[in-house]
Amino acid sequence: MPIDPTQPYDPDNIFARILRGEIPNDTVYEDEHVLAFKDINPQAPVHILVIPKGDYVSWDDFSAKASDAEIAHFIRKVGEIGRTQGLVEPGYRLLANVGGHGHQEVSHLHVHIFGGRPLGPMIARG
Ligand code: AMP
């Protein structure tokens, strides 16, 4: 069920619980501001989720409210993870779902990194 990205941040969303250590995750990268971990239901051989540690509901919320430093750090880390995972030469895809039409299911901003095989057309038609 997609979330409503206009609602206030829900501190009990599953990624908030991962950040608090209440639920385990398969960590790929972590620093003071960012956590990257493997998606529990991978859609490609490489499927990593990158999240900021701040309380941001969505890409919309983050781009409106986060500081320039937070945004710069997050974007640099997404790129760095792509490089360290060896995805640049074969290529990869980034995706951030927002709200209902974007089919966002978890109400904490996450960027998907997909790779490890040719990924086909950009989105499904239908
Ligand atoms: P989205 O539809 O963009 O909100 O994607 C949510 C993603 O979170 C899906 O790809 C899920 O498989 C993934 N997910 C949900 N719970 C977990 C979890 N506990 N650990 C890792 N990934 C998860």
Side-chain angles (χ1 to χ4, degrees):
M1 184 71 176
I3 62 111
D4 178 351
T6 65
Q7 290 299 303
Y9 185 79
D10 169 14
D12 289 325
N13 79 76
I14 194 143
F15 294 169
R17 297 183 65 201
I18 284 176
L19 286 171
R20 288 198 296 271
E22 295 169 7
I23 294 176
N25 74 94
D26 193 348
T27 300
V28 171
Y29 174 84
E30 182 168 18
D31 67 22
E32 195 184 339
H33 302 292
V34 169
L35 176 67
F37 52 98
K38 292 186 182 172
D39 195 291
I40 204 166
N41 183 23
Q43 304 297 310
V46 177
H47 187 173
I48 295 166
L49 301 172
V50 190
I51 67 173
K53 290 192 173 177
D55 294 350
Y56 299 106
V57 174
S58 68
W59 184 268
D60 177 67
D61 192 30
F62 185 66
S63 61
K65 295 183 190 154
S67 69
D68 289 357
E70 279 177 288
I71 291 170
H73 182 77
F74 185 74
I75 289 176
R76 284 199 187 280
K77 289 301 166 185
V78 172
E80 186 180 298
I81 292 162
R83 284 191 292 282
T84 57
Q85 293 291 314
L87 298 174
V88 176
E89 188 275 323
Y92 65 101
R93 179 170 295 159
L94 301 179
L95 179 70
N97 294 319
V98 181
H101 283 188
H103 214 277
Q104 180 182 0
E105 293 191 322
V106 178
S107 58
H108 184 113
L109 168 63
H110 47 286
V111 169
H112 298 255
I113 301 178
F114 300 103
R117 67 166 167 80
L119 294 164
M122 189 162 61
I123 58 172
R125 300 183 191 282

